[in-house]
Each structure stands twice: as C-alpha cells, then as structure tokens.
C-alpha cells in the first residue's frame, strides 16, 4: 500500500557495513514538489540513506518506494525519474564541460537542444569548451547539478552540493535551485551540514545523527518542539551535545 | 533525435578516445617510446664495423725469475700498437667483422674494479712462465675474447684472417635481431596498452566514483565497456601501424606471410588482453592496488614471453607454460607471420585460444564487476 501523494516513501530502512551501523531504522516521506534538507554531521548516515534512495546501495532491512515502485523491478523507469549528484564525484578530467553534458545526455537519449538548455539554466555557457579539470569548484558543482537536471527529474537528490564552496558560489547554486522550486514539479532531497542552506531552500528539515532521525519538521516546528531554541545549531547542540559541522 | 552522434555507445566511445589522445603521456608511452626502443635496440644489435674487446693485463714478475719479461707482454711489445699503457691488436676478417683487442696494463686492484664496472670482460694474469685467464665462463663475450686471445698466442693474428671462404654471412631480412624484435614489440604494445589503458582507466574511474555516477543513469553497462575497448582498440591499431611503418622504412622489415592472418592475430590479441584487463580491474577501487595488479600481470610475461630475447634459454619444463601465455602466443604468431611466411593455417589455434581467453575473462570479469 503506497500513498500517491508521497513520491518518496522510506520505511524502517537499516544499513550496516560490517560492524558500522550507518543507518539504523529510518522512515521518511517526501511530497511531490517538496524540498527537504537532510542535516547532520559527518558520518551521520546521510550519504548512505540518499544512495539507498538512488538505488546505488541496497538496504539490509526495510523498503523504499519511489512513486510507488521499488528498485528491484523498476530500475529503468526509476533511473528516468531521478536526477542526482554524488558527494565528491569527479568527471573525466580531459573532457570539456560540453562533452561531459552530451555524454550524460546520451544516456537519456537527449540531444544538443536539451544540453544547451541546461547550460543556460546553470549559467555555465561561457565555460562549455573548458576541460573539466580547469573548472573551479563552484563551476564543477554547477556542472554536476546540470548533469542531474538533464532528464528533468521528478526527484532530485543532491549530496552536499555546496560543501567547500565560497559564499558566492554557494549562492549561485541556491539560485538555480530556487528557480526550480518555483516550478513545483521537482522534489528535492539535499544533504548538508550548513543550516543556512536548509533554512534558505527547504520546506522541511530532517536532522540526522548516528544513523537516526533526531528531529523533523519545518524550521519553526523543530525549533519550537525542541524547546524554543533560537537557531538550528543551538537545537543540534541540545540534541547531540555537538556542533553540526565539526 | 535518433542521430548516431546522440547514441550513448557513440558518445562513450568518443569520450574515451578523447581522453586517450588528450593525454600527452599516453601518446609518449604508446607511440614515441616503442619507436625509440625499436630504434635503439635495432641499432645496437645490428651494428656492423669494428667490435672492440677490452681486457686487463696484470703483470706478475717474481724476483726469483731469471727472465724479466713476461710472456704476453713480450708478445704485445713485438706485435701490438702501444698507446699509454694499452696495447691494441687488430684482427681482420671481412666476413666475421674486424675485432680490436685492447689490452690494458694495470694493477690487480684496478683490474678488479674495471671488471666489476664492466669496462673489461677478462683479467689476464701475465707471468714469465705462463698466462692465466680470469673470466666468467657464462659471459659469452668473455668466452669469445678468451678464445681469440688464446688463439692469437698460439697461431698469431693470421688465425682469424684465413679460411673465409666457408663462411656465409646471413643478411637476409627475417633473420636479423630487428626482425625478431619488432613483432615482439608489437605484441608487447597490445598487452601494455590494454592493461594500462583499460584496467587502469576502469580503476581510476571507480575510485573517482564516476562509474557509480554513470550507472545511476539509464546507461547500459555493457556499452560502457564496449566503448572503452573500442576506443582502446582504435588507438592500438594506430600505435601498431606507426611502429610498423617506422620499422619498414628504417629497417626494411617485411611481412613475409599473410596480412589477413596478421590482422586476425592482432585482433585476437586485443580481445585476449581486453578481457583479462576487465577481469583484473573488476574489483578494486584503489589505484595503487590496481598498479600492483597490473604489474603482476605484465611483468612476468615481459620477462618470459620472449619479447626481447628468445625464451628457449629457460628450463625445458617451463617451455610448455611459457608457450601458452597470451603474450607469447601473440609474439610467436607475429614472428612466424613476419619472418617465416606463416599464414592462417599456421596460427588459427593461437587465434582461437586468444579469443577464448579474452571472452572467458570478459564474462567472468563482468560477473564480478563492481560498479560502485
Ligand atoms: N562503503 C562503506 N564501508 C564501510 N563503512 C561505510 C561505508 N559507507 C559509509 N560507511 C560508514 O557509515 C557511516 C555513515 O557514513 P555516511 O553515510 O557517508 O555519512 P554522511 O554522509 O552523513 O557523512 C560512517 O561511519 C561511515 O564511515
Ligand atoms: Mg556524506
């Protein structure tokens, strides 16, 4: 039984690596068009959870439904529906940004029209002919975001898309995502350890640590529920005794 | 939308190929280096003209001797050209090639140092009563020098000159060292290019999480591997052609056997090493581990498969193993086609074996293959 209102439905999911319990029983539901931030320090289990939703890793226990379908029997349909950027992916150094985009476009049977559209969307047109290894960190992240957007995904999963970027580069990414949000066609799951990012972009915030969800709701909700804290950082310290990014 | 240039197999192949040719190091090691090696080794081992053999003499005169001249020194004083403390004797023979024997008079300590450094191949202990030769019998250059010097004292320099009529020097194409070397280098090129170009590329992309990123799209996994092999094969054809054209123009190398058979072996060799490369790179995401695995594959074959020198000096019991190594099969088949006029009938077994090795490795590799 799945609820069609929720495009992603994660139920009691667990995942361990030998004796490391990376994800210890997580439930998560995301509505169509909703932007969700997954906040937590390094090692919280964010990447593992997101990669299970992406079908790259498989849960030891629990189930994941995307648009009511599971990965096991619907790989092809689900690949068409999602767009993603992994934490720390590196594209081929000696391909140009344009060639990289065309390569990934070909996987979706898309041609140069869509590639040109995406370059406009990510504002990287003047860097089309640059080799990937000559792009700045921010430009690479925008390229990765562009690749994720090629197939006009219903669900976009971005794993720490702005980590290590300067405030300007970060804002450029945020602006692209805000434009996307206005269209209300795409759901976003974004992992981060920057609270401003969650506050600025997302409808709902999920705080994770040690493989578990500690708090969940809109910014106002979790601050109130947490006992009237003034900021997410304060809330996080009271929940875990630690800062969000350490 | 159905344009070929939008097809993923096309785009993957173009991407892989672009990465190969945009890397200057790849061009150097794949194209320039084999040609330099062919040139250097080809020249070194086909040099005509004069061969010079250097030998150290240590004079030992004991005080009790009534005669104060040693045997060899007296001979040299009478027959050799002296310059500082070295004596040169020219042995002439139009068919064997001229040999200059250079005797350097020195002390024991010096003589040993020169021997260790390879400056001389033998130490001659020159006494009033006798002459002793100190050398390594396993060193064929030293052995030859010994025989020349010993004959020189017994018969005089004429021993080398006379009776030339029964010597027939072989200068036919197909019997020189370069004729042996070039097919070996071509075979080695296939192995190296696949092992590094395919295995290393896969491991590197896995370590950068690029494989993981790609399989999170509707890309067909087999297309990725086929494109990688196709791009590599294209490059291998170009590398082999350049080396061949060089050897043809510079050394006059000829293919005496069948061109189609040569092409079939070349393709089968590429299939064999592409498959093996995919198998050995199916698991690790660590480039350093990958480095070790690739070296463990290629180094033993480089040594035993007879790329540079014939493997017939290895013990007899190893020969059946050596002959069935993929690199040996390629090198031997190439050689028989280049130099012995072999055709398809002579090499089809190797072609079949190589193709089977490649296909089986590919299938196993694909089963084990870790995309993330
Ligand atoms: N492939 C893996 N093998 C072993 N341990 C892993 C693996 N992936 C993640 N882990 C461990 O699981 C925990 C959660 O990691 P991760 O999901 O990457 O956290 P986050 O993305 O929040 O930083 C960490 O302790 C990490 O070391
Ligand atoms: Mg992570």
């Amino acid at each position: 039984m799945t609820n069609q209102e929720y495009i992603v439905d994660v139920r009691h999911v667990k995942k361990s690596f030998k004796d490391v319990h990376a994800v210890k029983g997580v439930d998560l539901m995301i509505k169509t068009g909703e932007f969700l931030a997954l906040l937590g320090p390094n090692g919280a289990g964010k990447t593992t959870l997101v990669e299970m939703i992406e079908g790259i890793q498989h849960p030891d226990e629990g189930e994941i439904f995307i648009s009511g379908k599971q990965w096991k029997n619907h790989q092809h349909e689900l690949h068409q529906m999602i767009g993603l950027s992994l934490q720390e992916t590196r594209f081929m150094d000696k391909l140009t940004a344009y060639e990289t985009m065309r390569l990934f476009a070909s996987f979706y049977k898309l041609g140069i029209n869509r590639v040109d559209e995406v370059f406009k969307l990510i504002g990287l047109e003047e860097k089309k002919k640059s080799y990937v290894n000559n792009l700045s960190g921010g430009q690479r992240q925008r390229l990765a975001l562009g690749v994720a957007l090629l197939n006009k995904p219903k669900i976009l999963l971005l794993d720490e898309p702005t980590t290590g970027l300067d405030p300007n580069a970060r804002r450029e990414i945020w602006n692209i995502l805000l434009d996307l949000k206005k269209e209300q066609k795409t759901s976003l799951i974004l992992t981060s350890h920057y609270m401003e990012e969650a506050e600025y972009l997302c409808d709902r915030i999920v705080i994770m640590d040690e493989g578990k969800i500690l708090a969940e709701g809109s910014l106002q909700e979790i601050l109130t529920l947490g006992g009237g804290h003034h900021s997410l950082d304060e809330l996080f310290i009271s929940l875990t005794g630690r800062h969000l990014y350490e | 939308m159905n344009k070929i240039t939008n097809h993923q197999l096309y785009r993957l192949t173009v991407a892989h190929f672009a990465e190969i040719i945009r890397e200057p190091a790849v061009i150097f090691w794949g194209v320039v280096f084999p040609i330099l090696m062919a040139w250097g080794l080809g020249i070194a081992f086909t040099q005509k003209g004069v061969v010079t053999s250097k030998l150290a003499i240590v004079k030992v005169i004991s005080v009790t001797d009534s005669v104060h001249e040693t045997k060899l020194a007296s001979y040299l004083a009478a027959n050799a050209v002296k310059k500082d403390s070295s004596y040169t004797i020219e042995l002439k023979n139009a068919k064997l090639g001229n040999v200059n024997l250079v005797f350097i008079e020195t002390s024991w300590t010096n003589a040993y140092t020169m021997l260790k450094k390879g400056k001389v191949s033998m130490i001659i202990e020159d006494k009033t009563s006798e002459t002793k030769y100190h050398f390594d019998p396993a060193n064929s250059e030293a052995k030859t020098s010994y025989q020349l010097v010993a004959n020189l004292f017994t018969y005089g320099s004429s021993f080398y000159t006379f009776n030339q009529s029964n010597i027939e020097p072989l200068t036919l194409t197909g019997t020189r060292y370069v004729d042996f070397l070039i097919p070996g280098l071509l075979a080695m090129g296939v192995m190296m290019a696949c092992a590094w170009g395919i295995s290393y590329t896969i491991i590197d992309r896995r370590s950068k999480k690029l494989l993981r990123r790609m399989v999170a799209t509707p890309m067909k996994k087999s297309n990725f591997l086929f494109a990688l092999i196709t791009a590599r094969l294209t490059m291998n054809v170009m590398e082999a052609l350049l080396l061949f054209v060089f050897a043809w123009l510079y050394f006059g190398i000829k293919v005496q056997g069948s061109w189609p058979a040569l092409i079939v072996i070349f393709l089968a060799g590429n299939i064999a090493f592409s498959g093996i490369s995919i198998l050995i790179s199916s698991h690790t995401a660590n480039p350093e581990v990958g480095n070790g695995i690739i070296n463990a594959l290629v180094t033993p074959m480089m040594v035993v498969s007879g790329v540079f020198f014939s493997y017939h000096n290895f013990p007899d019991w190893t020969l059946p193993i050596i002959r069935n190594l993929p690199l040996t099969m390629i090198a031997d088949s190439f050689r028989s086609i280049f130099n012995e006029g072999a055709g398809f009938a002579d090499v089809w077994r190797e072609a079949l074996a190589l193709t089977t090795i490649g296909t089986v490795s590919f299938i196993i590799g694909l089963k084990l293959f870790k995309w993330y």
Side-chain angles (χ1 to χ4, degrees), chain A residues 47 87 159-160:
Chain A
T47 297
Q87 191 177 350
D159 198 356
E160 303 198 15

Side-chain angles (χ1 to χ4, degrees), chain B residues 304 306 309-319 322:
Chain B
V304 304
F309 299 101
S310 166
Y311 53 76
H312 288 100
N313 291 325
F314 286 105
D316 281 348
W317 64 268
T318 60
L319 295 184
I322 291 176

Side-chain angles (χ1 to χ4, degrees), chain A residues 87-157:
Chain A
Q87 191 177 350
E88 296 165 4
T89 302
R90 292 185 47 201
F91 294 117
M92 296 187 203
D93 286 341
K94 296 275 168 165
L95 285 195
T96 65
Y98 186 73
E99 288 165 336
T100 303
M101 200 72 92
R102 284 215 64 188
L103 176 63
F104 277 87
S106 74
F107 301 155
Y108 299 97
K109 298 192 164 75
L110 297 168
I112 46 177
N113 294 341
R114 180 59 187 160
V115 168
D116 289 338
E117 249 171 63
V118 169
F119 267 104
K120 203 171 288 172
L121 205 67
I122 58 172
L124 213 56
E125 285 154 303
E126 79 282 17
K127 289 286 171 190
K128 272 182 180 175
K129 292 207 168 83
S130 299
Y131 285 161
V132 170
N133 68 344
N134 294 338
L135 296 178
S136 71
Q139 290 163 344
R140 266 183 232 195
Q141 282 298 355
R142 273 190 278 159
L143 178 65
L145 177 56
V147 168
L149 292 173
L150 272 168
N151 59 328
K152 301 186 179 167
K154 284 200 179 126
I155 307 151
L156 185 61
L157 301 113

Side-chain angles (χ1 to χ4, degrees), chain A residues 17 20 22 41-49 87 159-160:
Chain A
F17 302 99
V20 181
N42 274 328
K46 304 182 298 291
T47 297
T48 308
L49 177 60
Q87 191 177 350
D159 198 356
E160 303 198 15

Side-chain angles (χ1 to χ4, degrees), chain B residues 29 33-34 37 181-195 273 298 301-302 307-308 327 330-331 334:
Chain B
W29 292 108
F33 185 68
M37 202 146 62
L181 178 68
I182 299 296
L185 286 181
L186 287 170
M188 184 184 83
V190 170
M191 175 176 79
M192 291 304 218
C194 290
F273 278 109
V298 301
M301 283 196 261
M302 286 279 291
V307 170
F308 299 103
L327 182 61
I330 305 173
F334 276 178

Side-chain angles (χ1 to χ4, degrees), chain B residues 254-269:
Chain B
K254 284 201 183 74
V255 177
Q256 302 183 12
S258 136
W259 269 97
L262 186 67
I263 292 166
V264 166
I265 290 291
F266 183 82
L267 290 177

Side-chain angles (χ1 to χ4, degrees), chain A residues 15-18 20-23 38-51 57 87 159-160 191-193 208 210-211, chain B residues 209 212:
Chain A
K15 175 84 182 174
S16 305
F17 302 99
K18 302 210 172 85
V20 181
H21 302 288
V23 175
L38 208 54
L39 279 179
N42 274 328
K46 304 182 298 291
T47 297
T48 308
L49 177 60
V50 166
E51 290 192 351
Q57 302 200 45
Q87 191 177 350
D159 198 356
E160 303 198 15
T191 76
S192 181
H193 32 217
M208 235 185 130
E210 297 182 342
Chain B
K209 295 190 175 180
R212 185 190 283 240

